[in-house]
Amino acid sequence: MSSWQLPEVGVVCWPVGNGDATTIVVDPKTILQVDINHRGAADGDDDDRVPVVDRLLELLPQNDDGDPCLSILAITHHDEDHCSGFERLVDEVVVEELWVTLRSFVDVDGDELTDDGQAIYDEACRRRTCEVQAASSGGRAPAGDRLRIVGNAD
């Protein structure tokens, strides 16, 4: 356990070196994560970067099943310094809703993705299918299967 804490309401800009990982706390149960940049080197005592996924696992509220729960995970793009640790995060945390840009679908053509970039694409496609199926019944996918696509592409 670390000595880190999330504010009751506020923003945490995690020290991750190059890249981004920002947590927005709306209230104790509503937490948004914008980008994730978890580096294995951050686990070392002599590294100033924070292992973000580890901290989130410790600090996020738990759902009724006792699992750490994140209201929204927004990934701005697939560059490694904005999505490193994605696959581990979604494996170990219930992410109620994933936000990705339309570029997440358009820009993957011909681009080589990192493992985490591919995991984002695959998870977004899975959730898109869930949302389309739910929409055919006039609703939204349940928490854990929700997807919001933001932005535009040429």
Side-chain angles (χ1 to χ4, degrees), residues 18-95:
N18 186 50
D20 288 307
T22 304
T23 304
I24 302 167
V25 181
V26 176
D27 61 49
K29 294 285 186 185
T30 309
I31 300 176
L32 294 76
Q33 181 66 39
V34 180
D35 288 333
I36 190 80
N37 187 8
H38 177 97
R39 300 292 184 173
D43 291 332
D45 291 336
D46 59 342
D47 198 303
D48 292 336
R49 293 174 292 184
V50 170
V52 179
V53 174
D54 294 343
R55 294 299 82 82
L56 291 174
L57 288 170
E58 294 172 2
L59 301 171
L60 287 172
Q62 296 181 348
N63 64 13
D64 293 338
D65 294 328
D67 298 317
C69 190
L70 184 61
S71 302
I72 295 169
L73 173 59
I75 300 294
T76 59
H77 58 289
H78 292 155
D79 287 354
E80 188 175 11
D81 59 342
H82 291 261
C83 71
S84 180
F86 173 87
E87 193 165 17
R88 179 173 169 222
L89 182 69
V90 298
D91 283 346
E92 298 187 36
V93 172
V94 175
V95 176

Side-chain angles (χ1 to χ4, degrees), residues 69-126:
C69 190
L70 184 61
S71 302
I72 295 169
L73 173 59
I75 300 294
T76 59
H77 58 289
H78 292 155
D79 287 354
E80 188 175 11
D81 59 342
H82 291 261
C83 71
S84 180
F86 173 87
E87 193 165 17
R88 179 173 169 222
L89 182 69
V90 298
D91 283 346
E92 298 187 36
V93 172
V94 175
V95 176
E96 293 181 348
E97 186 165 303
L98 176 64
W99 292 2
V100 296
T101 63
L102 182 58
R103 291 180 57 197
S104 296
F105 294 102
V106 176
D107 285 352
V108 296
D109 295 338
D111 287 344
E112 290 190 30
L113 296 174
T114 64
D115 289 343
D116 283 309
Q118 185 65 50
I120 293 166
Y121 178 77
D122 293 344
E123 180 66 7
C125 288
R126 182 193 73 76

